[in-house]
Amino acid sequence: MSGRSDRRWAQLARELEFTQLPELRRQAEGWRTGLTSLTALLAILVMLKGRDDVAQLPTAARQTAGALIGLAFLLLLLGSVLAVRAAHGSPGERVLLAGQALREWTRQEIVRVTRSLRYAAVCCISGVALVAVGVVVAWTTTGAPPDHLVRVVTTSGERCGTFLGSGPTGVVLGLENDDRAVLPARTVTSMVPVTVCGSAG
């Protein structure tokens, strides 16, 4: 029984020489599909707006997050190209008809495909890690938007800030750096709720 098992394993080992390259190509197809999907997902997420909208980030954080996301996109794109190259080979490759030449080419191709798949995996992991770091940077540097923002038009111009209250003395606005402004009631002509203050605030 042991001898028959050994012969069967030896036969499978000999057959593996002929099936290893197609199996690697099949694995490369899977990596290509996965990397293409991740790249497309990243492109869609970048276009969506939310709490981590880059326009709401401080300048340094915005540049850092943008660089991380951009680098991640390039890495995922490079991984996709490597996986495609591993799955389909190079365009214009010659068809080898001699047995020894084909055998040598197959060995070299197995090494190349394995190396390309390894690099594609590194690009995938690095790209996902960079996306995660970029999202963390965005989430940790973006504060919640202030509530009750208003734009107040007065006889002398416009002011924008957080509405803190109003009374006989006028309208009280909260400004940046915890400053306050009291706009005399006699000068206020209109007050409009807004979602974000522009340069007038």
Side-chain angles (χ1 to χ4, degrees):
M1 184 66 180
S2 178
R4 184 180 303 172
S5 177
D6 289 343
R7 284 193 299 273
R8 178 58 180 155
W9 280 112
Q11 181 183 358
L12 289 174
R14 286 191 298 271
E15 292 174 357
L16 185 61
E17 182 180 2
F18 304 100
T19 60
Q20 188 173 7
L21 183 58
E23 178 64 22
L24 285 172
R25 299 271 199 215
R26 188 186 64 79
Q27 291 178 11
E29 283 284 353
W31 275 99
R32 184 207 59 165
T33 302
L35 282 164
T36 303
S37 301
L38 278 174
T39 306
L41 179 62
L42 176 61
I44 291 170
L45 289 176
V46 166
M47 291 187 295
L48 295 179
K49 296 183 180 291
R51 183 175 183 270
D52 53 345
D53 182 11
V54 293
Q56 304 299 324
L57 296 175
T59 303
R62 181 171 62 247
Q63 292 174 349
T64 301
L68 290 170
I69 298 296
L71 184 56
F73 182 80
L74 290 177
L75 282 172
L76 291 174
L77 194 60
L78 176 61
S80 299
V81 171
L82 288 170
V84 169
R85 171 79 169 83
H88 301 289
S90 299
E93 285 182 330
R94 293 181 295 114
V95 177
L96 304 174
L97 299 178
Q100 286 297 339
L102 180 60
R103 186 177 198 178
E104 183 61 28
W105 175 85
T106 301
R107 287 178 179 169
Q108 293 175 0
E109 192 70 1
I110 287 171
V111 172
R112 187 192 60 75
V113 169
T114 303
R115 184 171 56 243
S116 294
L117 281 177
R118 189 177 299 119
Y119 289 157
V122 170
C123 287
C124 175
I125 294 169
S126 302
V128 170
L130 287 175
V131 170
V133 173
V135 169
V136 168
V137 168
W139 272 87
T140 56
T141 57
T142 304
D147 295 328
H148 311 298
L149 287 178
V150 292
R151 177 167 286 113
V152 181
V153 180
T154 67
T155 54
S156 60
E158 293 185 357
R159 297 300 297 269
C160 185
T162 305
F163 178 73
L164 299 179
S166 64
T169 57
V171 176
V172 182
L173 291 182
L175 306 176
E176 294 179 354
N177 302 322
D178 295 328
D179 291 335
R180 291 185 176 202
V182 179
L183 307 178
R186 66 180 182 280
T187 64
V188 175
T189 58
S190 67
M191 186 168 57
V192 181
V194 294
T195 56
V196 64
C197 283
S199 58

